[in-house]
Amino acid sequence: GNSVTQMEGPVTLSEEAFLTINCTYTATGYPSLFWYVQYPGEGLQLLLKATKADDKGSNKGFEATYRKETTSFHLEKGSVQVSDSAVYFCALSGAGNKLTFGGGTRVLVKP
Amino acid sequence: SAVISQKPSRDICQRGTSLTIQCQVDSQVTMMFWYRQQPGQSLTLIATANQGSEATYESGFVIDKFPISRPNLTFSTLTVSNMSPEDSSIYLCSFWTSGSREQYFGPGTRLTVT
């Protein structure tokens, strides 16, 4: 079956530091890949997506590239802010458009 | 984009009782889903809510425990039956947009069972 593995947190950074969250997946076929973000006390928001190999999703300074050869979709941001403190979930869509989520990575950005 | 809402936003319930959670989308959508997020954990799909037919449940979830209704293309309910403290979770509904191939989530219902 499908699975998503992402690096465990928490990840603690200083403001303006570079952020990388690793995500790898196992899936049959050619899934779409997503990053969702959950800010403290809020619901789940779609951050970015990529629907085919070599696609790059981007939003709010975050980027992730769909790497089929390494089955990865790592999330990056060049300069984080305190407001980026949240839990980030990597996910893929499989048969029936069902989402399979990774375990989530908590990111804490300190001023 | 469509707006999705859930009611209630939170509840505290007694063991052995049932709670029905409502999910409303402000436009017609084909596919709706229900997920569970246990404390400090990731999201797990409970079932796909099918309009006009029975829901399709994932492994480990059964209709007697989590009955789902989908009377039309904008609305669905999830009932958590005969609750125990292990059912304390955030329950989220979502819908899939075929055009943009994206899935959007409701704000969630935080359930605490005592």
Side-chain angles (χ1 to χ4, degrees):
Chain A
N2 297 337
S3 67
V4 177
T5 303
Q6 59 182 106
M7 60 189 288
E8 291 190 18
V11 174
T12 303
L13 302 164
S14 297
E15 216 166 13
E16 298 183 4
F18 185 87
L19 171 67
T20 299
I21 303 176
N22 290 338
C23 171
T24 57
Y25 67 91
T26 303
T28 54
Y30 302 95
S32 293
L33 301 174
F34 305 86
W35 277 99
Y36 283 85
V37 59
Q38 190 172 40
Y39 297 104
E42 297 186 16
L44 206 63
Q45 300 178 25
L46 177 63
L47 181 59
L48 54 85
K49 71 172 184 183
T51 58
K52 60 183 187 297
D54 299 326
D55 263 4
K56 178 185 283 188
S58 62
N59 187 25
K60 298 182 179 180
F62 290 89
E63 292 183 341
T65 301
Y66 190 143
R67 301 287 188 200
K68 188 171 181 295
E69 63 277 11
T70 55
T71 62
S72 64
F73 193 54
H74 306 322
L75 183 68
E76 297 181 336
K77 186 174 185 181
S79 177
V80 294
Q81 305 300 313
V82 172
S83 57
D84 294 323
S85 297
V87 181
Y88 293 83
F89 294 94
C90 185
L92 66 82
S93 66
N97 298 315
K98 302 173 187 178
L99 289 178
T100 300
F101 284 88
T105 302
R106 183 175 300 276
V107 173
L108 176 61
V109 181
K110 295 186 174 181
Chain B
S1 61
V3 174
I4 180 169
S5 60
Q6 286 183 234
K7 288 195 292 188
S9 58
R10 59 177 64 225
D11 206 341
I12 301 173
C13 300
Q14 297 287 328
R15 180 196 301 259
T17 62
S18 297
L19 175 73
T20 295
I21 302 167
Q22 299 179 6
C23 179
Q24 179 77 54
V25 187
D26 69 351
S27 61
Q28 294 185 341
V29 296
T30 305
M31 304 191 74
M32 292 182 75
F33 305 89
W34 287 97
Y35 290 81
R36 180 176 73 181
Q37 186 178 21
Q38 293 178 298
Q41 302 297 313
S42 186
L43 283 82
T44 302
L45 180 63
I46 297 172
T48 303
N50 304 308
Q51 196 268 329
S53 64
E54 281 196 2
T56 306
Y57 289 84
E58 298 300 303
S59 176
F61 297 96
V62 295
I63 188 172
D64 289 347
K65 176 68 175 177
F66 297 102
I68 288 170
S69 77
R70 178 90 194 271
N72 57 53
L73 292 176
T74 66
F75 186 77
S76 179
T77 67
L78 169 75
T79 299
V80 185
S81 303
N82 188 25
M83 288 183 285
S84 67
E86 291 71 35
D87 294 319
S88 297
S89 295
I90 298 173
Y91 293 86
L92 301 102
C93 65
S94 72
F95 68 91
W96 177 266
T97 61
S98 58
S100 61
R101 299 176 67 183
E102 296 173 351
Q103 192 163 142
Y104 293 94
F105 286 80
T109 296
R110 184 179 295 272
L111 171 62
T112 302
V113 184
T114 61

